[in-house]
Amino acid sequence: MVEQSIGFGIIGLGRIGAFHAESLRSRIGGAHLVAAAVDPEHRARLLATGNAPCDLEETAEALLRRADVEAVVVASPAIVHDAHIVLAAQAGKPIFSEKPLADTVTKAEAAAEAVRVSAVPFQIGFQRRYDRSYARAHELIESGAIGDVEMFRGMSCDRLGPIEFLKTSGGLFMDLASHDFDAARFLTGQEVVDVLAIGAVLVEPELSSFDDVDYGIVLLRFANGALGVVQEAWRAPYGYDIRAEVHGSKGKVVAE
């Protein structure tokens, strides 16, 4: 019996797009990489060096018109995720999108509505929900093992990416902290109702030129009255540092 395989297209072949391309080529059963949409300059460079992982299209529209592209990975710069999600939804293609959904609430709502109207399958890349420790923490909290949730703490420390990437990433709070915001909702089972944030530039002065920061702290209040704090940093000389802990009336659970 021949295994069915879904043909994927990727919009964007930058740092994360290249990772998804390699995964689709060699690591994911039932899927294969068909083509990618990249800007003309990047396309010319990939063709000249012989590093193109698949067929290359110059626009997302051209990629989405291909019948052999049955599903789409959106891995373009964060500030245009919403536009590409809308195009893919209108083309009737199932979508896996990198976060964030958009860089404004209005754009995010429009992208979500386009997905709802099209009824295509959609998933956004908050992978921590599938990490063993986070999944186990969620299971324990949901079972009542720590009692009523009273406090959350999430932290992400990573190494600073290239400035050109950061200019289109959505910034520290959207690019890095969005994972912790999702983890906060996933682990506590609560929605956030109040937010207070503060940031500082301590690593890369150039971030100030486009209103970004490399350290940030966000205070949260959840719908049930519980409190939370999210700590972010673009400096991690000791390695990639990701963790979360949730305190409850009977104890606490920690995921690292």
Side-chain angles (χ1 to χ4, degrees):
M1 183 177 179
V2 178
E3 180 186 15
Q4 293 292 320
S5 181
I6 299 170
F8 272 82
I10 294 181
I11 302 176
L13 274 180
R15 183 170 60 170
I16 195 65
F19 172 81
H20 286 308
E22 182 58 29
S23 296
L24 286 165
R25 290 177 70 191
S26 59
R27 300 174 188 164
I28 300 175
H32 63 279
L33 181 61
V34 173
V38 295
D39 65 76
E41 182 180 337
H42 190 188
R43 181 175 182 272
R45 190 163 62 248
L46 287 170
L47 292 174
T49 58
N51 291 327
C54 57
D55 288 351
L56 300 179
E57 301 287 352
E58 291 191 3
T59 66
E61 290 85 350
L63 181 79
L64 293 167
R65 284 195 295 267
R66 293 181 59 137
D68 54 355
V69 171
E70 301 170 278
V72 178
V73 173
V74 175
S76 49
I79 57 175
V80 290
H81 283 175
D82 61 293
H84 290 146
I85 289 167
V86 170
L87 287 174
Q90 291 173 342
K93 312 280 187 177
I95 305 161
F96 174 89
S97 176
E98 272 299 323
K99 51 73 192 170
L101 185 62
D103 60 356
T104 70
V105 173
T106 300
K107 291 179 183 178
E109 290 176 339
E113 181 61 18
V115 170
R116 281 192 289 267
V117 169
S118 69
V120 296
F122 176 86
Q123 183 178 19
I124 197 159
F126 287 127
Q127 82 281 4
R128 289 187 202 171
R129 292 179 176 230
Y130 305 96
D131 177 88
R132 291 179 182 177
S133 59
Y134 277 72
R136 178 59 175 156
H138 176 264
E139 183 181 287
L140 289 168
I141 295 164
E142 195 172 49
S143 73
I146 67 167
D148 296 328
V149 171
E150 296 175 345
M151 187 167 65
F152 167 86
R153 183 171 77 95
M155 185 169 75
S156 295
C157 300
D158 200 359
R159 294 173 184 175
L160 189 71
I163 288 296
E164 289 308 308
F165 162 75
L166 294 170
K167 286 179 178 179
T168 61
S169 72
L172 178 84
F173 294 114
M174 286 190 184
D175 183 45
L176 190 61
S178 58
H179 284 291
D180 291 290
F181 299 148
D182 182 66
R185 299 175 62 245
F186 173 63
L187 292 176
T188 67
Q190 297 289 320
E191 295 294 346
V192 175
V193 295
D194 287 314
V195 178
L196 176 65
I198 187 170
V201 178
L202 302 175
V203 182
E204 175 49 72
E206 193 172 343
L207 292 174
S208 299
S209 68
F210 49 95
D211 197 28
D212 198 1
V213 296
D214 45 43
Y215 273 83
I217 292 178
V218 185
L219 301 179
L220 308 172
R221 188 190 305 275
F222 296 93
N224 71 338
L227 300 177
V229 60
V230 167
Q231 301 168 249
E232 306 297 306
W234 278 132
R235 195 197 297 278
Y238 50 87
Y240 187 59
D241 189 2
I242 307 297
R243 66 185 74 176
E245 61 182 62
V246 182
H247 296 244
S249 56
K250 297 179 181 178
K252 77 171 183 177
V253 62
V254 178
E256 296 185 293

